Amino acid sequence: MGLVVAIHQPHYLPYPGFFDKMRRADLFVYLDHVAFTPGWQNRNYIKTSTGRTRLTVPVARRSRGGPIRGASIAPGADWQRRHEATVRQAYTRALHLDMCTELLGLLYHHPWTNLGMLNLACDLHLTRMLGITTPWVLSSSLGAFRQKKTALLAEICRRLGAATYLAGDGCASYLDPEVLEVAGIELRWQGYRPPRYPQLHEGFLDNLSVLDLLMNCGSQAGRILTSGEQA
């Protein structure tokens, strides 16, 4: 069948689909050399008593447009104290809060100054908690790239000897399948369906940070995040 590669920017507390994509791939590439833009790279959502609540890591204005791996966290913003307080209040009655103690310590009791390093540490810790063993590589370790968009994805796949590119559904609006076809790379869509699982607070919200899944489901989270699987 050949090597299946997935490529994704490192995110802050990613949603379950990020890890579902990682699990489906033979090799996962953290796209850390591309430009930082405010969004999932430095924010995500949890569920509180008031509903969907966003946690944002403040990034220095000078870092916009520069590579993710070099993005600086804005000093003096006190984001770690505020994030931890929000998380602990939201999940004070969660069945598996204790399981996430090490993760919270990593995120909020370490003097992070670089967003790329924070996200990579966060994402790798979460993969271990979810039991995902897919090998990974940083795009910045593969040499220089001049291509952008789909051509960049094709070039990364070529350098890694990939036969198939596993694409997330969110890139359907801008990914050009013809570029991959010309490069001899098969395109496979993830086809992710958010799973339902028990949550705190009223109602159900999908596509929250995987932290919500871990807090509520503990060691079963790795099984539940698989597309469409029910708790």
Side-chain angles (χ1 to χ4, degrees):
M1 291 179 60
L3 185 72
V4 178
V5 166
I7 303 171
H8 212 294
Q9 298 163 353
H11 283 183
Y12 177 61
L13 289 172
Y15 86 123
F18 178 100
F19 297 100
D20 175 75
K21 186 161 104 170
M22 180 183 290
R23 172 175 287 191
R24 291 169 183 262
D26 298 320
L27 179 65
F28 188 84
V29 180
Y30 282 101
L31 196 65
D32 69 330
H33 80 278
V34 298
F36 165 76
T37 54
W40 300 119
Q41 296 174 27
N42 68 316
R43 65 180 66 133
N44 225 301
Y45 291 88
I46 62 170
K47 186 180 181 184
T48 68
S49 59
T50 59
R52 198 180 297 268
T53 299
R54 189 171 72 184
L55 301 177
T56 301
V57 179
V59 175
R61 186 174 297 275
R62 66 179 182 276
S63 294
R64 298 190 182 189
I68 298 171
R69 69 179 185 273
S72 297
I73 297 174
D78 200 25
W79 66 273
Q80 290 174 294
R81 182 192 61 78
R82 291 185 287 104
H83 283 203
E84 183 173 19
T86 300
V87 169
R88 289 192 177 277
Q89 182 176 14
Y91 297 105
T92 186
R93 294 189 291 112
L95 293 176
H96 303 283
L97 174 60
D98 289 346
M99 177 182 172
C100 299
T101 297
E102 185 177 351
L103 172 64
L104 298 184
L106 171 71
L107 297 178
Y108 305 131
H109 295 273
H110 180 91
W112 296 107
T113 58
N114 178 277
L115 180 69
M117 293 180 65
L118 166 66
N119 285 355
L120 184 61
C122 172
D123 296 354
L124 293 179
H125 190 94
L126 287 166
T127 62
R128 291 191 291 271
M129 293 182 72
L130 295 165
I132 297 172
T133 58
T134 303
W136 57 274
V137 65
L138 298 173
S139 66
S140 60
S141 72
L142 300 176
F145 293 96
R146 293 184 179 180
Q147 300 84 352
K148 296 182 179 180
K149 299 182 179 180
T150 308
L152 170 61
L153 304 178
E155 178 60 21
I156 291 174
C157 287
R158 279 198 297 261
R159 291 193 189 184
L160 293 171
T164 302
Y165 173 62
L166 178 62
D169 306 302
C171 69
S173 62
Y174 60 84
L175 188 143
D176 186 346
E178 186 176 348
V179 172
L180 292 171
E181 183 179 357
V182 169
I185 298 164
E186 177 190 358
L187 172 60
R188 182 181 303 172
W189 292 100
Q190 181 183 5
Y192 180 69
R193 293 178 297 165
R196 294 185 68 87
Y197 57 90
Q199 288 181 343
L200 291 173
H201 314 301
E202 185 177 355
F204 178 81
L205 298 175
D206 62 10
N207 290 330
L208 298 168
S209 166
V210 76
L211 178 63
D212 184 81
L213 176 58
L214 285 162
M215 287 285 192
N216 287 296
C217 300
S219 62
Q220 294 300 308
R223 175 185 64 82
I224 294 169
L225 71 81
T226 302
S227 292
E229 188 166 356
Q230 305 295 309

